[in-house]
């Protein structure tokens, strides 16, 4: 019952339709990739300036992480560099909101829409962050949170997957 209440409260707080608890932020990333049906040899654009779990979960599914450098001001993935890395194998963009500072989601979502790519938001270090009145974790197709000991909200270990997409529910 407590886990169900946590899922309900996190969905309500962020504005997501669905929230699902899992054992860790790493597992949340893996579940998110599986939800969008990542297959071997798919390419996922992401940042190299992140915890190993970002690339690790992509590699676990035998997909390829394709690194795009960061913006030196925000330390987040630089949207101006994303399009140059898109190929016919690119399936998704996985952004990581760092230090409570959101990525440029307007620019990233515009690129994703143009190239028909999924967007995964890793919000492990940005719980409660907003762009305007909208919480991070509600821009992409599926998003993840971590509750590890050094995160904003912690229970020692744990994670959450959120989405507004009825087909990924």
């Amino acid at each position: 019952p407590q886990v169900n209440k946590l899922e309900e409260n996190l969905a309500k707080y962020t504005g997501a339709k669905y929230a699902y608890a899992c054992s860790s932020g790493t597992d949340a990333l893996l579940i998110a990739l599986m939800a969008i049906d990542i297959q071997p040899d798919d390419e996922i654009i992401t940042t190299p300036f992140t915890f190993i779990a970002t690339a690790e979960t992509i590699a676990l599914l035998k997909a390829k992480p394709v690194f795009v450098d960061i913006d030196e001001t925000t330390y987040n993935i630089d949207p101006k560099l994303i399009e140059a890395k898109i190929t016919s194998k690119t399936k998704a963009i996985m952004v990581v909101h760092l230090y409570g500072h959101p990525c440029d989601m307007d620019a990233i979502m515009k690129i994703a829409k143009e190239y028909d790519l999924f967007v995964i938001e890793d919000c492990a270090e940005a719980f409660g962050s907003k762009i305007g009145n909208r919480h991070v974790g509600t821009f992409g197709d599926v998003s993840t949170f971590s509750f590890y000991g050094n995160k904003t909200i912690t229970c020692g270990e744990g994670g959450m997957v959120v989405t507004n997409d009825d087909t990924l529910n």
Side-chain angles (χ1 to χ4, degrees):
Q2 292 171 325
V3 173
N4 289 336
K5 189 69 172 170
L6 174 64
E7 291 170 337
E8 290 171 17
N9 286 340
L10 195 135
K12 183 177 178 182
Y13 176 77
T14 63
K17 281 186 182 179
Y18 309 102
Y20 301 101
C22 59
S23 63
S24 68
T26 301
D27 278 349
L29 289 170
L30 186 59
I31 291 165
L33 288 164
M34 292 168 70
I36 62 169
D37 195 32
I38 295 302
Q39 297 295 309
D41 299 321
D42 285 344
E43 294 180 355
I44 312 301
I45 292 174
T46 193
T47 174
F49 195 66
T50 182
F51 182 64
I52 188 68
T54 305
E56 173 190 38
T57 54
I58 295 167
L60 279 170
L61 295 175
K62 298 183 178 13
K64 178 182 177 186
V66 176
F67 295 116
V68 169
D69 208 354
I70 61 170
D71 176 291
E72 293 180 11
T73 305
T74 65
Y75 299 104
N76 288 325
I77 194 169
D78 188 338
K80 294 185 298 287
L81 304 176
I82 291 173
E83 282 188 89
K85 298 287 187 155
I86 296 173
T87 72
S88 61
K89 293 184 176 187
T90 305
K91 179 111 180 227
I93 303 168
M94 183 186 290
V95 301
V96 180
H97 304 290
L98 279 179
Y99 313 125
H101 186 80
C103 295
D104 183 348
M105 293 308 295
D106 287 340
I108 292 163
M109 295 307 295
K110 182 179 177 185
I111 294 165
K113 184 176 182 175
E114 181 177 340
Y115 290 91
D116 195 27
L117 302 173
F118 288 101
V119 174
I120 298 170
E121 293 179 75
D122 179 340
C123 308
E125 294 191 13
F127 185 84
S129 296
K130 292 182 176 180
I131 300 170
N133 291 322
R134 194 168 166 189
H135 280 271
V136 297
T138 62
F139 291 86
D141 297 285
V142 61
S143 302
T144 66
F145 293 88
S146 174
F147 306 131
Y148 189 68
N150 64 344
K151 302 301 187 237
T152 308
I153 293 183
T154 182
C155 59
E157 190 64 72
M160 191 76 67
V161 179
V162 302
T163 188
N164 284 315
D165 188 327
D166 295 325
T167 65
L168 298 177
N169 173 22

